[in-house]
Every structure is written in C-alpha cells, then in structure tokens.
Amino acid sequence: QVQVMESGGGLMQAGGSLNLSCIVGGLEVRDYAMGWFRQESGKERVAVACDSRIGQTTYSAQGRFRIARDNDKNMVFLEGDSLKPEDTATYYCAVSKYGFTACSAPSMNYWGHGTQVTVSS
C-alpha cells in the first residue's frame, strides 16, 4: 500500500523561494523515479520538475525548480526560486513505477492529494 503526502504549501512572496516536502509510505523512494506537478484552478495538471534518473533533476519548469531527496527519511522535496504569481497552484508529488523519458502526468502511478501554494503579487 503506497501513500504519498505533500506539505509545506501556503502563502509565498513573489521573488522568494519554495520548499515543499513529500513523504512516501509503502516503497523506498531511493528506488523510484519521482515528479512534482501543479494544477491551477480550471486548468490541466502540468509538470514542474522530474527526477527520472533517481537523483538528478531531469526536467525543470522554466529552469527554476529542482528535486532533492533524503533517502534516510524516505522523503523528496521540491525546491524553487524566483517565485512568480503564476506559480500559484496546487502542487502534487508523484511516484513512477517504471520510470519515464518524458516528464508527464501519465507516467506517474501514485499521487499525493496536493498542497496549495499561493504567491502574492
């Protein structure tokens, strides 16, 4: 049974930094490719950052986001900077069973319920 839970969202300041956490139960994140996605109200879910090589950020939206891992705690993180109001969205942590070549939502198999991030203008 796999469980994914994000945390760290809230009200952020434009130009500031983002640090979101994701704890995963039921599997060891050191063995799986990961992704972070976001969804604005009324829009499709899109990729923010992916780590398909298990330890390297292989996709970064606008070059401002990256994935980090703490394997001892079985956690992954989303780090971002130069936040913009258009970064406002619900952010989701996701796990891929088989990895991927493209950072896309269909490649992911397990999802958290999301954490809301609001960037002030």
Side-chain angles (χ1 to χ4, degrees):
Q1 185 175 5
V2 177
Q3 294 179 325
V4 183
M5 183 176 294
E6 308 92 340
S7 63
L11 181 62
M12 314 290 176
Q13 184 177 2
S17 299
L18 178 70
N19 291 279
L20 303 181
S21 300
C22 173
I23 186 166
V24 181
L27 57 80
E28 297 185 12
V29 299
R30 57 165 34 94
D31 298 326
Y32 290 86
M34 305 289 300
W36 283 89
F37 297 78
R38 67 187 181 192
Q39 187 169 22
E40 299 178 61
S41 180
K43 297 184 178 181
E44 65 178 344
R45 189 170 300 183
V46 298
V48 179
C50 280
D51 177 2
S52 61
R53 298 179 183 177
I54 312 178
Q56 300 179 13
T57 299
T58 54
Y59 174 80
S60 174
Q62 303 174 37
R64 298 188 290 113
F65 300 92
R66 67 206 69 86
I67 291 176
R69 299 178 186 241
D70 186 334
N71 292 326
D72 290 338
K73 296 181 179 179
N74 211 44
M75 296 179 66
V76 298
F77 308 90
L78 178 66
E79 301 173 343
D81 50 36
S82 301
L83 289 176
K84 304 175 181 179
E86 51 262 43
D87 293 324
T88 295
T90 301
Y91 284 70
Y92 298 88
C93 177
V95 183
S96 175
K97 288 182 180 179
Y98 309 112
F100 45 83
T101 56
C103 184
S104 62
S107 298
M108 306 299 162
N109 304 101
Y110 303 107
W111 293 85
H113 290 154
T115 184
Q116 177 67 38
V117 173
T118 302
V119 182
S120 65
S121 59

